Amino acid sequence: MTSTLPLTQTMDFVDKYGSSDEEDVGTKDNQSTAVIQTMKINSAPDTGFHDVDPTALYTAPTATELTVNVPYSDMIRPTLGPDNPFSDRKLATQNILTGHVQQEAISEMDFRTQHRTFESYGYARDPSLSSSNLAGQTGQGIMGTGYVGNLAAAAELGGVTILDRLPKQYRPNKDLRKKREKKGDAGILEGENAYKGPWAGYDGDGIGEPSGLESDLQEEVQIAMNPTKAANAANAAAKKLAAAQVVGTETTTFHGEAEHDYLGRTYMAVPQDVDVNLLGEPGTQDCFIPKRCIHTWEGHAKGVSAIRFLPKSAHLLLSGGMDNKVKIWDVYHDRRLLRTMSGHTKAVRDIAFSNDGRKFLSSSYDRYVKLWDTETGQCIRSFSTGKVPYCVTFNPEEDKQHIFLAGCSDKKIVQFDINTGEITQEYDQHLGAVNSITFVDENRRFITTSDDKTMRAWEFDIPVVIKYIAEPDMYSLPAVTLSPNKKWLACQSLDNQIVVYGARDRFRINRKKRFAGHLIAGYACKPGFSADGRFVSSGDSNGNVWVWDWKSCKILKKFKAHDKVVMNTEWHPHESSKMATCSWDGKIKYWD
């Protein structure tokens, strides 16, 4: 019985066969050929962390929102660490701002030719190399034709490019000469049949029409060119705005147990059962930095854009929210919600009390300014110019409490009389939307800031700028606060610092006063002063509250207050260390 060996085993025996003379040589050969192939394992692969800059800002690959200003060079850096072998997400490295552009084998001249052909005729040859068309040419195109775009035009024109000559009937500009306007009469300079000469345009080319301008600038050009047509359009827009929102539908809701107590007093009465003199002079006692949150008011369905304490006593807190509502809160006793005023159809932007606190104004993105009664919550009157009022303020003079100013999106400051509802004055010098209005110099003048990165000083009721402040390195100032001693203006600058200007005659910048460290990233975070003027506070875009020392400009404290941007930090005028903050997270917090 015979057995057969496998071929591989037989060949192994043949390799090992040799004479005694070749024994030493064979042993060496066998040792050299019997090399065990093993897989190398690197237990510490290169992760790329040697390129890490400790001062750079990095973002996660899955991040969908940026809360800080990350440089473009850091945003397009490759992901740190080794690649995940089990991940299916294999994106190409971003090489332009909007994504990744693949390189194709096409010359610059060919690309320009196909690009111009596509713009003129509506089709172009497919430049991709991944496939071939039915004729074996590179670039499959649509349905194997080798072209992309308008296939009917490509078939009709035979696939010619912009460099090829076409018959006259196929030329796109065959009737262009008929559309040319007449040159006009050389003796007429303006009006009908005015001389245009070689500058005469074509029908429908848009020459002489405003283009590339903002909507507000287009309206101004149209008004200058055709005043009658512009007036009719303005009347139609006013009627449309009035139809969209019927004035007089405002409602108010009282949330307390009873509007009057046993003595017939409302919540406007100053409480006498607290251990603070609410009728005293603000700033008579030293203030301290708050340490903890003692209460949280929740009632707004969306973010809170502004808060104000009731003038003089400050026992009530007024808030305007992005849920289109204005609310009044109790600062003492139960600290409950007292009243809600509804009437705006869009988010509330700004609120302002009168001197006695009996009335207040609210401006909204629905283009209306409404005057409310603080005690009853009734809407007294509505005002509108057809533009968005970004800021409102009463004239602080006692004999001018019937006048208020509104800074609007059409670059104007409008002066209203609440008794008649009419516009009594317009201040029109800014080149951008007006962000803030602040009365200074014993209320004889007021300061305005705008998106045009300037600050302007005005005499009240005189629409002429008396001081124009603009520097090459100056940023927009979206929020301004007057110091308690009426000498300084703390202005929130969009370069992440608070700059200080004098509130007297010359309105000069104080180079020695600069409060920095926070990040507002384009938000109009309003600065705050303590009652004694020792501290300056501000929120930031990350939900923190910053407190600086007024004299040294040093950061004294930073604490996490909210989940989103903090818009206001209002110090209580009679308490030594109490502060109210509001945020876009819909909460108002009271700190002590």
Side-chain angles (χ1 to χ4, degrees), residues 333-408:
H333 302 122
D334 296 336
R335 295 194 176 115
R336 67 173 65 183
L337 173 63
L338 296 177
R339 190 177 289 278
T340 299
M341 280 73 72
S342 303
H344 288 292
T345 58
K346 291 186 179 180
V348 178
R349 166 72 187 231
D350 194 17
I351 50 180
F353 272 113
S354 60
N355 284 1
D356 57 2
R358 293 287 178 181
K359 302 181 183 69
F360 69 87
L361 295 166
S362 64
S363 65
S364 170
Y365 287 99
D366 62 4
R367 304 184 180 186
Y368 273 91
V369 177
K370 293 184 182 293
L371 179 66
W372 305 83
D373 186 278
T374 309
E375 187 172 12
T376 63
Q378 300 297 321
C379 181
I380 302 174
R381 191 185 288 269
S382 295
F383 310 87
S384 179
T385 62
K387 304 297 180 181
V388 178
Y390 283 156
C391 55
V392 289
T393 182
F394 277 99
N395 189 318
E397 283 294 316
E398 291 296 337
D399 59 343
K400 295 184 177 64
Q401 284 292 284
H402 62 287
I403 295 175
F404 74 89
L405 302 179
C408 301

Side-chain angles (χ1 to χ4, degrees), residues 7-21:
L7 180 61
T8 57
Q9 187 174 358
T10 305
M11 295 302 296
D12 291 341
F13 289 157
V14 172
D15 291 338
K16 294 178 181 179
Y17 179 79
S19 61
S20 59
D21 297 336

